[in-house]
Amino acid sequence: MPEYTIETPPIIALPIMGTDRLFPVRRVYCIGRNYAAHAIEMGHDPDRELPFFFQKNPDNLDWSGEFPYPTQTSNVHHEVEMAIALKSGGSNIPLDEALDHVFGYALSLDMTRRDLQGQAKKMGLPWEIGKAFERSAPIGPIHPVSDIGHLDQGSIALSLNGQKVQEGNLNQMIWKVPEMITYLSEYFVLAPGDVILSGTPAGVGPVNKGDEMEISIQGLGSMIIKVV
Ligand code: MN
């Protein structure tokens, strides 16, 4: 067996609630504008247009409870989202089988360099520079479906320094969990270890060093992330 010529990159693996086992991550897909009120606040028509996705890198996931303020920006926004972790995948997954592929759900944040994302949008450029930066996806432990079932309703919220600024309900998603899985599987081959961030409700806004974000989703508890 040939040896690698450089240090091998680590496998990114998320803690699983109530176990000492880990969930290895393959890819991270994120949907844009999946709550009507957030689409409106970003200046878009909330009508059900086709969904669109971008990706973060697996090693952007971070479960330390700290979010280091990133470089090259002066406007970093919080976006609380529910993460969906897949245990299996495939292509052209039928809608009525989509949920069978879900391993579990987790609290997460799609932290965004909004100024850089805005420039990219204006110039028709890709979003990575605004979205897929170091530690841009704080995430909590995965709660297995075998413990908590599937989540299709319940509050999703973010408090900044004790004040609730983002609030919505999972049932307000424009594209529901099974629909996102089916749609993605028509464009990509989904596989075990894929994670989908399912969009953010209204109320996104900037964070500063020293801020404390508390994110919560009914059924997944809550988690505090400090901006450092
Ligand atoms: Mn988002």
Side-chain angles (χ1 to χ4, degrees):
M1 172 110 168
E3 287 189 12
Y4 296 111
T5 55
I6 56 166
E7 200 181 317
T8 55
I11 292 174
I12 306 302
L14 302 174
I16 299 170
M17 198 71 183
T19 78
D20 56 4
R21 299 173 72 90
L22 296 173
F23 179 90
V25 178
R26 191 184 78 119
R27 293 182 185 171
V28 181
Y29 297 99
C30 308
I31 191 169
R33 296 174 210 140
N34 201 27
Y35 288 76
H38 172 63
I40 292 167
E41 77 178 347
M42 297 302 286
H44 297 279
D45 188 331
D47 281 353
R48 194 167 139 120
E49 296 164 9
L50 284 179
F52 72 92
F53 292 84
F54 57 92
Q55 281 173 279
K56 295 206 184 211
N57 303 293
D59 70 347
N60 296 153
L61 294 167
D62 185 289
W63 47 98
S64 69
E66 288 191 342
F67 171 72
Y69 200 90
T71 60
Q72 301 294 333
T73 179
S74 55
N75 190 20
V76 178
H77 277 203
H78 54 74
E79 298 190 357
V80 59
E81 314 211 352
M82 183 174 77
I84 306 152
L86 301 188
K87 64 181 176 189
S88 52
S91 297
N92 300 314
I93 296 170
L95 199 55
D96 63 351
E97 292 173 15
L99 285 181
D100 299 344
H101 298 280
V102 178
F103 173 79
Y105 300 93
L107 291 159
S108 64
L109 280 163
D110 166 17
M111 298 304 293
T112 302
R113 291 195 277 215
R114 194 71 78 202
D115 41 5
L116 299 188
Q117 184 203 25
Q119 289 168 17
K121 279 185 189 176
K122 211 178 293 172
M123 299 172 73
L125 296 172
W127 283 13
E128 278 85 353
I129 202 161
K131 289 287 195 179
F133 55 91
E134 267 40 72
R135 299 175 72 177
S136 59
I139 190 163
I142 299 176
H143 296 245
V145 169
S146 54
D147 292 345
I148 62 159
H150 290 286
L151 299 179
D152 58 5
Q153 58 166 333
S155 72
I156 173 169
L158 181 144
S159 294
L160 190 63
N161 303 321
Q163 189 163 8
K164 196 168 277 188
V165 289
Q166 282 199 268
E167 199 171 11
N169 193 298
L170 298 176
N171 66 16
Q172 295 164 343
M173 285 183 192
I174 298 170
W175 294 86
K176 310 297 183 193
V177 174
E179 292 173 322
M180 281 185 267
I181 292 169
T182 292
Y183 188 86
L184 273 171
S185 78
E186 290 166 358
Y187 291 85
F188 303 97
V189 181
L190 295 179
D194 287 350
V195 172
I196 304 167
L197 268 55
S198 56
T200 195
V204 301
V207 298
N208 294 295
K209 273 183 200 174
D211 283 350
E212 195 173 272
M213 300 179 279
E214 181 175 14
I215 57 176
S216 62
I217 292 175
Q218 203 178 324
L220 299 179
S222 66
M223 176 185 180
I224 288 173
I225 299 102
K226 291 195 169 100
V227 184
V228 296

